[in-house]
Amino acid sequence: MARMPDDPAPLTPWTDHFDHESLEVLRAALDHLETCFESVAPAKPAQLNEPARQMLFEVAGRLAENFPYFHPLYAGQMLKPPHPVARTAYALAMWLNPNNHALDGGRASSAMEKDAVAQLAEMFRWPAHLGHLTSGGTMANLEALWIAGLEREGGTILASSQAHYTHSRISEVLRLKFESVPTDTRGRMDLAALEARLARGGVGTVVATMGTTALGAVDPLDSILALRERHGFRVHADAAFGGYFALVESLGPEARLAFDALAAVDSLVIDPHKHGLQPYGCGCVLFRDPGVGRYYRHDSPYTYFSSGDLHLGEISLECSRPGAAAVALWATQQVLPLERKGRFSSDLARGHKAAGELHRRLAAGRRWIVGPQPELDIVTWAAKAATAEESSRLARRVFDEAARDGLHLALAELPAAWFGFAPGPDRRETVTCLRSVLMKPEHLEWLDRIGEKLAAAAERVFGRE
Ligand SMILES: Cc1ncc(COP(=O)(O)O)c(C=O)c1O
């Protein structure tokens, strides 16, 4: 629990967990920002009063009830700490709290959003684009499927059975027809099944997932695009999780082909708040044809008159949006450019390497049945057992034991057949697996510690090998 300010106990010395230096830089940058507004008549700002100060310590105490997401031994869900420059730029912008709807609500931050989004489009080698930031991947996919529904009226949306649940739900919201396509045993959209479905007709859009949520599997986008030639559907890429891996050179050949094909999709979603080192509240939707802007046209008698330039509210479904998210993303991309040979991509490659290495070590042990070879940075594995039920029980116990010892993993429900389990007496078709998203570059150095803690947890559950 956090210490209250009047607590007589000595301060716990700072550990290396949190970066405190950026607070000093924030202070100096804030002073600089303030001097830029010198010509404005002084007006007393709101300050933290005593109850508000006390409240912050109570907040710290409440926040301590979280898992330590910032730490490499948090190797569970998709959670990655924002880069210090993102966190600090976001905080700095908060003293102005711009709104990237109309230009007069967020002049500088709208310009930064346009730049940052253009850099994302460039990363996929798009010659032209229309796009903007969103509150996250769900909202970005909603916009993409909304436009897809308008461009292919009455057409069915297809996504794989391992695609994020958001696609079927969004289709429901938008009243679009939706069907799911089976996957192969690696969790990638099954091309034969897709082709069979296309032959029956009526498909408007195929969603290719570039890094599924459970496995990080990459749908064979290059082959899906080849089918588009024959069947004329629209292609949307959900690269919310995996999009930045377009920059990583060490991917396997199939994933490489799929990522290179992103240059030719109709729309794409990428989440800077997943692998892009941003605080939550930062997704992005991109359309290759800027002409789809016509669908966004709406009458707003009270906003867009301050300038003839594009107001981002004219091309976005959400009205108010945080300018701070754009400031943070822009600053991050200046410091860590989206290049194939740079710090940003080499850090992603470390996660990919860590996942490959953990997969290799688990496969070499005798307790586990490993899931597919990681295409990105997610590893899944099931406990060896006679049945899927028993394996699932063991996985849950290992998950709890590991967490008690400070190693935080995740669980996933995957087809039991992938792990060689026949459907059990209760006809259970899935097995609960352990899952780890190794998305922090430090995970590579921490792999031995992760392995030791996992082995110790397994020993407590299964007994000594
Ligand atoms: C592939 C994929 N698409 C979409 C989403 C939804 O994104 P968000 O949680 O930012 O709304 C996720 C989230 O994990 C995802 O993995």
Side-chain angles (χ1 to χ4, degrees), residues 426-445:
D426 64 353
R427 303 211 147 272
R428 187 189 165 118
E429 286 180 351
T430 59
V431 60
T432 310
C433 304
L434 289 151
R435 168 172 167 266
S436 179
V437 185
L438 296 170
M439 67 196 298
K440 298 178 189 122
E442 307 81 42
H443 275 139
L444 191 56
E445 280 97 53

Side-chain angles (χ1 to χ4, degrees), residues 5 27 67 186 209 237 374:
R27 209 199 153 88
F67 296 122
R186 291 165 56 192
T209 306

Side-chain angles (χ1 to χ4, degrees), residues 356-365 368 447-448 451:
E357 181 57 22
L358 178 61
H359 186 267
R360 193 188 63 73
R361 292 185 193 182
L362 292 168
W368 313 113
L447 220 47
D448 288 346

Side-chain angles (χ1 to χ4, degrees), residues 78 134-141 162-167 209-214 238-242 269 271 273-274 280-283 378 435:
M78 294 171 180
T134 62
S135 54
T138 300
M139 197 63 204
N141 276 309
Q162 287 289 316
H164 195 270
Y165 70 85
T166 197
H167 298 288
T209 306
M210 309 302 288
T212 58
T213 315
D238 180 355
F241 176 69
V269 160
D271 269 0
H273 71 196
K274 291 191 170 65
Y280 281 111
C282 195
I378 302 181
R435 168 172 167 266

